[in-house]
Structures are given as C-alpha cells and as structure tokens.
C-alpha cells in the first residue's frame, strides 16, 4: 500500500529513497530501518556521496544481501 505525501524541503535539505533489500538484509526490517536512519543522522554533515556510502556500509556491515540494494540520496 502506498500513500501520496507532500513535503516542503528547503535548500540544503536531503531525502533518501531505498529498496527493501537495504533494510531487510539482516532479516528484521525495523532494525534495518533504524540502522539506516541512525547512519543518515550521524553523517548529516558529510557530503551526500559520503553519506550514501556510509549508510549502505553501516546497514549491510554484518549481512550479505539476498535482494537488490538501492539507496539514492537527493539534496535540494
């Protein structure tokens, strides 16, 4: 089920789009999402490319993905 959501972003703000393979790699969607969110917050001052690499690295650190993994960062 998908919802339409409208968000106003200001210059410099970021958002991330990801596939379920990123957050389900450890078998627990909730903990995978929490890990990705924490990594995004921890790298808030890094470049967008560095943040994307850090989030993927942290979220998949102990897991071998069995599904596609996509994380796309967008900065306004």
């Amino acid at each position: 089920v998908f919802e339409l959501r409208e968000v106003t972003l200001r210059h410099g703000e970021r958002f991330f789009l990801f596939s379920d393979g990123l957050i389900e790699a450890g078998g627990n969607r909730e903990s995978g999402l929490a890990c990705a969110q924490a990594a995004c917050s921890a790298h808030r001052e890094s470049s967008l490319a560095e943040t994307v690499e850090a989030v993927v690295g942290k979220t998949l650190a102990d897991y071998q993905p069995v599904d596609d993994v996509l994380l796309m960062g967008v900065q306004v």
Side-chain angles (χ1 to χ4, degrees), residues 31-67:
S31 65
L33 183 57
C35 182
Q37 288 172 327
C40 282
S41 292
H43 291 79
R44 147 183 342 246
E45 300 299 324
S46 301
S47 73
L48 189 60
E50 290 170 336
T51 301
V52 167
E53 286 183 34
V55 171
V56 171
K58 179 72 174 167
T59 307
L60 300 180
D62 299 325
Y63 306 105
Q64 201 59 266
V66 294
D67 196 0

Side-chain angles (χ1 to χ4, degrees), residues 9 11 14 18 23-24 26 28 34 38 42 50 56 60 68 72-73 76:
L9 299 170
H11 181 73
R14 300 173 172 182
F18 57 90
I23 62 169
E24 292 177 346
N28 184 326
E50 290 170 336
V56 171
L60 300 180
D68 65 308
M72 180 172 65
V76 178

Side-chain angles (χ1 to χ4, degrees), residues 2-36:
F2 294 93
E3 295 178 23
L4 178 62
R5 200 170 280 206
E6 189 172 318
V7 177
T8 301
L9 299 170
R10 294 181 298 251
H11 181 73
E13 291 185 316
R14 300 173 172 182
F15 66 93
F16 297 88
L17 304 169
F18 57 90
S19 66
D20 61 344
L22 178 71
I23 62 169
E24 292 177 346
N28 184 326
R29 189 178 200 130
E30 290 176 16
S31 65
L33 183 57
C35 182

